Amino acid sequence: MSKKLVVTCLINFFIAALLGLALRYTYLSPISFNYRYLTHAHSHIAMLGWVYLMLYTLFVRYFIPEKKPVYTTLFWVTQIAVVGMLLSFPFQGYAAISITFSTLHILCSYYFFRLIWKNHETQSIVTKLLLKASLLFMLISTLGVWCLGPAVGILGQASAFYQIAIQFFLHFQFNGWFLIAVLAVLFHKLQIKDSKEFQLFFKLLISSSILTFALPVNWFAPHVVLLWINGLGVLLLMASLHVFLKLIKPRLKTMMNASSNNLKFILWFALFCFILKIVLQSLSLIPEISNMAFQHRNLVIGFIHLTMLGVISGFLFVFILQSQLVTQNKNLTLSMFVFVLGFLLTELILIIQGCLFYFGIGLLPNYYVLLFFSSILLPLGIVGLIFNIYKTKSA
């Protein structure tokens, strides 16, 4: 992988982490930025600057045999869109400039879809199916974005249509494009062969990704049928986890035996978060718990971070650590430990506070101070990884 491209993605991640830290600092002392605008900047840079561009880099690295200049050019044009969003969202929120750069990013993603779909090469049916599915989910998710304008113009931002359009984009980005894309790279690395078990896993995964969208729809347009659809989706998701673990178990042992301690640590971390995510989703089968999660923002943020930082970023770190871009040393070990510790502490604090609110107990003592100082560990871990890559001579 290109050192420049990976470092650029990690710098985006570092900036997103700093923006998240600034959001948590606002509860300790007022800052001059609008909180909502800063939230937009944080989420866009994390999703589109870190995850999207890192997946872009991995797809080109592993599935495009002929590295034409167009791929590098498109990467930097997309990065310009990310920088544009970074320099506009904190100051104006959704307005002319930020919308222009967001639109540029979507158009770049459409061209990326065309290039990868047309030019990818893999001998594996497994990776081909996962790669194409992830790209289709990326394409489909953007329909939610195009619906936002009409939703605001016709019904307003408070309407169920507007909220469902946002949830449509987020759901199929996280549970479609991002998740299936990292699984495509993981299965490529593990050299999973096509089989009846894989075909079953693939069908279960795709079906559950679609059906579980019923839950966020139910939040804004409640109907008992949606709960049943989500319930079916969750059952299929749990079944897909069972088949997934059976598929990777023999190959995982081989990878672990040939891996460094740092890689083993992060791989177990990502797998643990992946399993935990599905277990927590299964709790949505209980209506009271799904309503509690929606009503308490701490729990929503905790689950989003579990998916973004634990599952998606965890696997992306695995792929970086497996490359020749890093040097296996104590500094790398410390960086990874600091990042994971920051993640675990912030998740624990968010969950405890969400439960306290639910039981009407109130605010955890020094809640905002604890959350802020725990969050400092996240950018520290990221910057440690960046310096390790920067100092590594062999790429």
Side-chain angles (χ1 to χ4, degrees), residues 81-96:
V82 172
V83 173
M85 287 185 278
L86 173 63
L87 298 177
S88 55
F89 270 117
F91 302 98
Q92 60 173 204
Y94 279 104

PDB file of all heavy atoms in Angstrom, residues 81-96:
ATOM      1  N   ALA A  81     -12.290  17.090  -1.494  1.00  0.00           N
ATOM      2  CA  ALA A  81     -13.674  17.196  -1.015  1.00  0.00           C
ATOM      3  C   ALA A  81     -13.729  17.063   0.504  1.00  0.00           C
ATOM      4  O   ALA A  81     -14.480  17.784   1.179  1.00  0.00           O
ATOM      5  CB  ALA A  81     -14.535  16.120  -1.672  1.00  0.00           C
ATOM      6  N   VAL A  82     -12.919  16.168   1.065  1.00  0.00           N
ATOM      7  CA  VAL A  82     -12.868  15.987   2.522  1.00  0.00           C
ATOM      8  C   VAL A  82     -12.344  17.250   3.201  1.00  0.00           C
ATOM      9  O   VAL A  82     -12.912  17.717   4.196  1.00  0.00           O
ATOM     10  CB  VAL A  82     -11.976  14.773   2.882  1.00  0.00           C
ATOM     11  CG1 VAL A  82     -11.746  14.697   4.391  1.00  0.00           C
ATOM     12  CG2 VAL A  82     -12.614  13.483   2.384  1.00  0.00           C
ATOM     13  N   VAL A  83     -11.275  17.815   2.661  1.00  0.00           N
ATOM     14  CA  VAL A  83     -10.709  19.052   3.224  1.00  0.00           C
ATOM     15  C   VAL A  83     -11.731  20.188   3.123  1.00  0.00           C
ATOM     16  O   VAL A  83     -11.880  20.998   4.051  1.00  0.00           O
ATOM     17  CB  VAL A  83      -9.398  19.434   2.501  1.00  0.00           C
ATOM     18  CG1 VAL A  83      -8.901  20.806   2.964  1.00  0.00           C
ATOM     19  CG2 VAL A  83      -8.326  18.376   2.753  1.00  0.00           C
ATOM     20  N   GLY A  84     -12.436  20.243   2.009  1.00  0.00           N
ATOM     21  CA  GLY A  84     -13.470  21.267   1.849  1.00  0.00           C
ATOM     22  C   GLY A  84     -14.549  21.154   2.905  1.00  0.00           C
ATOM     23  O   GLY A  84     -14.995  22.170   3.470  1.00  0.00           O
ATOM     24  N   MET A  85     -14.958  19.926   3.211  1.00  0.00           N
ATOM     25  CA  MET A  85     -15.962  19.720   4.262  1.00  0.00           C
ATOM     26  C   MET A  85     -15.398  20.096   5.632  1.00  0.00           C
ATOM     27  O   MET A  85     -16.106  20.672   6.471  1.00  0.00           O
ATOM     28  CB  MET A  85     -16.437  18.264   4.255  1.00  0.00           C
ATOM     29  CG  MET A  85     -17.336  17.921   3.087  1.00  0.00           C
ATOM     30  SD  MET A  85     -18.001  16.233   3.155  1.00  0.00           S
ATOM     31  CE  MET A  85     -16.616  15.299   2.496  1.00  0.00           C
ATOM     32  N   LEU A  86     -14.125  19.782   5.842  1.00  0.00           N
ATOM     33  CA  LEU A  86     -13.476  20.119   7.113  1.00  0.00           C
ATOM     34  C   LEU A  86     -13.434  21.629   7.333  1.00  0.00           C
ATOM     35  O   LEU A  86     -13.613  22.114   8.457  1.00  0.00           O
ATOM     36  CB  LEU A  86     -12.058  19.545   7.136  1.00  0.00           C
ATOM     37  CG  LEU A  86     -11.174  19.940   8.320  1.00  0.00           C
ATOM     38  CD1 LEU A  86     -11.756  19.430   9.634  1.00  0.00           C
ATOM     39  CD2 LEU A  86      -9.757  19.404   8.121  1.00  0.00           C
ATOM     40  N   LEU A  87     -13.206  22.383   6.259  1.00  0.00           N
ATOM     41  CA  LEU A  87     -13.066  23.839   6.366  1.00  0.00           C
ATOM     42  C   LEU A  87     -14.394  24.591   6.282  1.00  0.00           C
ATOM     43  O   LEU A  87     -14.418  25.808   6.458  1.00  0.00           O
ATOM     44  CB  LEU A  87     -12.120  24.345   5.272  1.00  0.00           C
ATOM     45  CG  LEU A  87     -10.681  23.822   5.329  1.00  0.00           C
ATOM     46  CD1 LEU A  87      -9.868  24.350   4.155  1.00  0.00           C
ATOM     47  CD2 LEU A  87     -10.018  24.207   6.652  1.00  0.00           C
ATOM     48  N   SER A  88     -15.481  23.866   6.001  1.00  0.00           N
ATOM     49  CA  SER A  88     -16.778  24.551   5.867  1.00  0.00           C
ATOM     50  C   SER A  88     -17.798  24.128   6.918  1.00  0.00           C
ATOM     51  O   SER A  88     -18.501  24.977   7.475  1.00  0.00           O
ATOM     52  CB  SER A  88     -17.349  24.320   4.456  1.00  0.00           C
ATOM     53  OG  SER A  88     -17.437  22.937   4.167  1.00  0.00           O
ATOM     54  N   PHE A  89     -17.899  22.846   7.211  1.00  0.00           N
ATOM     55  CA  PHE A  89     -18.908  22.379   8.167  1.00  0.00           C
ATOM     56  C   PHE A  89     -18.811  23.047   9.547  1.00  0.00           C
ATOM     57  O   PHE A  89     -19.837  23.425  10.122  1.00  0.00           O
ATOM     58  CB  PHE A  89     -18.855  20.862   8.314  1.00  0.00           C
ATOM     59  CG  PHE A  89     -19.749  20.129   7.353  1.00  0.00           C
ATOM     60  CD1 PHE A  89     -19.215  19.263   6.409  1.00  0.00           C
ATOM     61  CD2 PHE A  89     -21.128  20.307   7.379  1.00  0.00           C
ATOM     62  CE1 PHE A  89     -20.036  18.586   5.514  1.00  0.00           C
ATOM     63  CE2 PHE A  89     -21.959  19.640   6.484  1.00  0.00           C
ATOM     64  CZ  PHE A  89     -21.405  18.780   5.555  1.00  0.00           C
ATOM     65  N   PRO A  90     -17.610  23.203  10.130  1.00  0.00           N
ATOM     66  CA  PRO A  90     -17.549  23.804  11.468  1.00  0.00           C
ATOM     67  C   PRO A  90     -18.041  25.242  11.516  1.00  0.00           C
ATOM     68  O   PRO A  90     -18.410  25.746  12.583  1.00  0.00           O
ATOM     69  CB  PRO A  90     -16.056  23.729  11.829  1.00  0.00           C
ATOM     70  CG  PRO A  90     -15.490  22.661  10.962  1.00  0.00           C
ATOM     71  CD  PRO A  90     -16.277  22.747   9.693  1.00  0.00           C
ATOM     72  N   PHE A  91     -18.057  25.919  10.366  1.00  0.00           N
ATOM     73  CA  PHE A  91     -18.395  27.346  10.344  1.00  0.00           C
ATOM     74  C   PHE A  91     -19.816  27.628   9.862  1.00  0.00           C
ATOM     75  O   PHE A  91     -20.381  28.669  10.200  1.00  0.00           O
ATOM     76  CB  PHE A  91     -17.400  28.096   9.443  1.00  0.00           C
ATOM     77  CG  PHE A  91     -15.967  27.933   9.876  1.00  0.00           C
ATOM     78  CD1 PHE A  91     -15.148  26.993   9.264  1.00  0.00           C
ATOM     79  CD2 PHE A  91     -15.447  28.691  10.917  1.00  0.00           C
ATOM     80  CE1 PHE A  91     -13.828  26.832   9.665  1.00  0.00           C
ATOM     81  CE2 PHE A  91     -14.134  28.528  11.330  1.00  0.00           C
ATOM     82  CZ  PHE A  91     -13.323  27.592  10.703  1.00  0.00           C
ATOM     83  N   GLN A  92     -20.385  26.719   9.063  1.00  0.00           N
ATOM     84  CA  GLN A  92     -21.698  27.029   8.494  1.00  0.00           C
ATOM     85  C   GLN A  92     -22.677  25.854   8.527  1.00  0.00           C
ATOM     86  O   GLN A  92     -23.840  26.024   8.158  1.00  0.00           O
ATOM     87  CB  GLN A  92     -21.547  27.496   7.037  1.00  0.00           C
ATOM     88  CG  GLN A  92     -20.903  26.490   6.117  1.00  0.00           C
ATOM     89  CD  GLN A  92     -20.914  26.920   4.660  1.00  0.00           C
ATOM     90  OE1 GLN A  92     -20.851  26.103   3.766  1.00  0.00           O
ATOM     91  NE2 GLN A  92     -21.012  28.218   4.405  1.00  0.00           N
ATOM     92  N   GLY A  93     -22.221  24.684   8.962  1.00  0.00           N
ATOM     93  CA  GLY A  93     -23.109  23.533   8.934  1.00  0.00           C
ATOM     94  C   GLY A  93     -23.458  23.174   7.501  1.00  0.00           C
ATOM     95  O   GLY A  93     -22.629  23.294   6.594  1.00  0.00           O
ATOM     96  N   TYR A  94     -24.705  22.725   7.288  1.00  0.00           N
ATOM     97  CA  TYR A  94     -25.145  22.438   5.917  1.00  0.00           C
ATOM     98  C   TYR A  94     -25.498  23.746   5.226  1.00  0.00           C
ATOM     99  O   TYR A  94     -26.523  24.358   5.492  1.00  0.00           O
ATOM    100  CB  TYR A  94     -26.362  21.499   5.935  1.00  0.00           C
ATOM    101  CG  TYR A  94     -26.000  20.050   6.122  1.00  0.00           C
ATOM    102  CD1 TYR A  94     -26.193  19.420   7.347  1.00  0.00           C
ATOM    103  CD2 TYR A  94     -25.453  19.307   5.073  1.00  0.00           C
ATOM    104  CE1 TYR A  94     -25.857  18.082   7.517  1.00  0.00           C
ATOM    105  CE2 TYR A  94     -25.114  17.975   5.234  1.00  0.00           C
ATOM    106  CZ  TYR A  94     -25.325  17.371   6.458  1.00  0.00           C
ATOM    107  OH  TYR A  94     -24.990  16.047   6.630  1.00  0.00           O
ATOM    108  N   ALA A  95     -24.618  24.172   4.330  1.00  0.00           N
ATOM    109  CA  ALA A  95     -24.837  25.400   3.555  1.00  0.00           C
ATOM    110  C   ALA A  95     -24.179  25.203   2.188  1.00  0.00           C
ATOM    111  O   ALA A  95     -23.700  24.105   1.871  1.00  0.00           O
ATOM    112  CB  ALA A  95     -24.271  26.606   4.293  1.00  0.00           C
ATOM    113  N   ALA A  96     -24.137  26.271   1.416  1.00  0.00           N
ATOM    114  CA  ALA A  96     -23.720  26.159   0.010  1.00  0.00           C
ATOM    115  C   ALA A  96     -22.354  25.492  -0.165  1.00  0.00           C
ATOM    116  O   ALA A  96     -22.199  24.558  -0.964  1.00  0.00           O
ATOM    117  CB  ALA A  96     -23.708  27.546  -0.620  1.00  0.00           C
TER     118      ALA A  96
END
